[in-house]
C-alpha cells in the first residue's frame, strides 16, 4: 500500500528536526532563560524604544565645540606651558638653581606671616595716633587679604604647574593652592597702601612697585603658581585696597580697638 505523501514529508521533517544541530529549534523561546538574557529579537531592535538610554557624559564627545571653549582651553594650555618654562628655580638642579635661595628669600618678604607679625611689632612701638591709625588699617587689610585668598583657593582648588607640596609657613597662612597667588595679592595691596598713605621719594616709589612685581614673579619662578594666578592675585590685591579705603577706620575707632586690646579703658577720654 503506498504511503501518504503528506505523512512521509512530516516524518522526514520530524527526523531532520531531531538531529542535534536542530534541537534548539524545538525549544520554545518563552521558556528558555538564555533566550531572555540574549536580548530582544531583530524585530524588537528595529522598533524605536520609548525611553532610550543615553550614554554617560564622559562617553560623549563634543564634535562641534564652541569657539569660547576652544579659546579658553588654548589659553590655559599656553598658561601651563609658559609657567612650566618659567619655573627655573623649582629645584637646586634647575637652570637657575643657584639663585633659588635668593628667590625664596624675596618671596618671604611678601608672605602673610611676615607682614602681619611686622605690623604688630610696629604697632606696639608706635606712639602717635596717626601712626596707630595707619597700622591698624593695614593690619585689617592684611587679615582680609589672607582670609579672602584662602577662601578663593579652597573653592577653586587649582594645583600649581609643578607637583610641589606647600611649605610650613604656607600652610600656616592658608596658602595651599595655586589660584589666586597670595603673595602677588598681598604685594599689590601693600604697595598700593603705602604709596597712597606715605610720602615717599620717587626712587622709593619705583622700588616699591618693583618689589611688588618681583614678589609675584618669584612664586612663578619657584613653581608655586601659574602666570594667570599671579595676574589674578595682583587684581585681587588692588580690589582689597579699594575695599579697605571704603571701610577705613577713623583715629577714634582705632584708639578704641587699642584700648580693648590692651585693656586700658582708663586711658581713653
Amino acid at each position: 500500500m503506498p504511503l501518504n505523501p503528506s505523512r512521509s514529508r512530516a516524518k522526514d521533517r520530524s527526523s531532520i528536526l531531531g538531529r542535534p544541530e536542530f534541537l534548539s529549534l524545538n525549544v520554545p523561546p518563552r521558556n528558555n532563560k538564555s533566550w531572555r538574557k540574549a536580548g530582544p529579537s531583530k524585530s524588537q531592535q528595529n522598533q524605536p524604544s520609548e525611553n532610550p538610554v543615553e550614554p554617560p557624559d564622559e562617553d560623549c564627545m563634543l564634535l562641534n565645540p564652541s569657539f569660547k571653549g576652544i579659546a579658553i582651553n588654548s589659553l590655559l594650555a599656553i598658561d601651563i606651558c609658559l609657567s612650566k618654562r618659567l619655573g627655573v628655580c623649582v629645584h637646586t638642579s634647575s637652570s637657575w638653581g643657584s639663585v633659588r635661595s635668593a628667590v625664596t628669600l624675596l618671596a618671604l618678604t611678601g608672605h602673610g606671616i611676615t607682614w602681619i607679625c611686622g605690623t604688630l611689632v610696629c604697632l606696639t612701638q608706635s606712639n602717635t595716633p596717626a601712626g596707630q591709625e595707619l597700622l591698624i588699617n593695614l593690619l585689617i587689610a592684611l587679615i582680609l587679604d589672607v582670609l579672602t585668598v584662602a577662601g578663593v583657593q579652597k573653592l577653586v582648588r587649582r594645583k600649581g604647574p609643578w607637583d610641589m607640596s606647600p611649605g610650613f609657613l604656607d600652610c600656616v597662612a592658608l596658602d595651599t593652592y595655586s589660584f589666586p597667588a597670595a603673595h602677588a595679592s598681598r604685594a599689590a595691596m601693600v604697595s598700593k597702601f603705602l604709596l597712597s598713605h606715605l610720602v615717599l621719594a620717587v626712587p622709593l616709589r619705583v622700588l616699591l612697585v618693583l618689589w611688588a612685581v618681583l614678589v609675584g614673579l618669584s612664586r612663578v619662578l619657584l613653581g608655586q603658581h601659574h602666570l594667570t594666578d599671579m595676574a589674578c592675585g595682583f587684581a585681587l590685591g588692588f580690589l582689597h585696597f579699594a575695599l579697605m579705603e571704603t571701610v577705613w577706620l577713623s583715629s577714634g575707632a582705632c584708639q578704641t580697638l587699642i584700648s580693648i586690646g590692651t585693656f586700658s579703658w582708663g586711658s581713653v577720654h
Side-chain angles (χ1 to χ4, degrees):
M1 181 176 179
L3 295 174
N4 191 351
S6 61
R7 292 182 178 180
S8 62
R9 285 196 297 270
K11 183 177 181 182
D12 295 339
R13 183 172 178 273
S14 62
S15 62
I16 292 173
L17 294 176
R19 295 180 181 179
E21 59 267 24
F22 296 108
L23 288 178
S24 61
L25 299 177
N26 297 328
V27 180
R30 293 184 178 180
N31 297 329
N32 192 351
K33 295 182 180 180
S34 62
W35 171 261
R36 295 179 181 178
K37 296 180 180 180
S41 61
K42 292 183 178 180
S43 60
Q44 293 177 346
Q45 291 178 355
N46 295 331
Q47 295 178 359
S49 59
E50 297 180 357
N51 298 320
V53 179
E54 296 181 357
D57 294 337
E58 58 268 15
D59 294 338
C60 298
M61 180 175 63
L62 296 177
L63 298 180
N64 296 318
S66 62
F67 175 77
K68 182 179 178 181
I70 295 175
I72 292 176
N73 292 332
S74 300
L75 291 176
L76 289 177
I78 294 173
D79 177 38
I80 294 174
C81 181
L82 291 178
S83 301
K84 282 184 173 292
R85 287 180 177 273
L86 288 175
V88 293
C89 299
V90 177
H91 306 289
T92 54
S93 59
S94 302
S95 58
W96 286 20
S98 58
V99 296
R100 188 176 187 275
S101 300
V103 176
T104 304
L105 182 62
L106 176 62
L108 186 61
T109 60
H111 203 280
I113 301 299
T114 304
W115 275 97
I116 290 177
C117 293
T119 304
L120 288 174
V121 171
C122 293
L123 184 60
T124 57
Q125 300 299 321
S126 178
N127 296 322
T128 61
Q132 293 173 350
E133 176 186 355
L134 182 67
L135 291 172
I136 286 180
N137 283 279
L138 178 59
L139 180 62
I140 294 174
L142 290 170
I143 296 174
L144 174 66
D145 178 81
V146 170
L147 296 179
T148 304
V149 172
V152 176
Q153 286 185 356
K154 290 293 183 181
L155 290 176
V156 179
R157 294 179 178 271
R158 188 187 189 188
K159 298 293 185 179
W162 296 85
D163 189 10
M164 301 177 63
S165 58
F168 173 74
L169 291 179
D170 293 335
C171 294
V172 173
L174 305 177
D175 186 10
T176 55
Y177 290 97
S178 177
F179 181 88
H183 288 65
S185 173
R186 194 170 304 110
M189 187 270 296
V190 169
S191 61
K192 184 65 175 176
F193 188 95
L194 297 180
L195 289 173
S196 300
H197 297 283
L198 293 181
V199 179
L200 301 175
V202 175
L204 291 178
R205 298 174 74 90
V206 174
L207 288 177
L208 190 58
V209 174
L210 184 61
W211 166 81
V213 175
L214 291 178
V215 166
L217 186 60
S218 65
R219 297 286 287 181
V220 179
L221 298 179
L222 293 171
Q224 297 287 346
H225 296 288
H226 300 85
L227 286 173
T228 52
D229 303 334
M230 181 185 65
C232 293
F234 284 139
L236 189 60
F238 290 125
L239 180 62
H240 289 158
F241 168 77
L243 179 61
M244 197 62 217
E245 290 294 307
T246 305
V247 296
W248 184 271
L249 296 182
S250 62
S251 178
C254 293
Q255 293 302 315
T256 303
L257 291 177
I258 292 175
S259 64
I260 293 175
T262 57
F263 299 100
S264 55
W265 290 94
S267 61
V268 180
H269 299 286

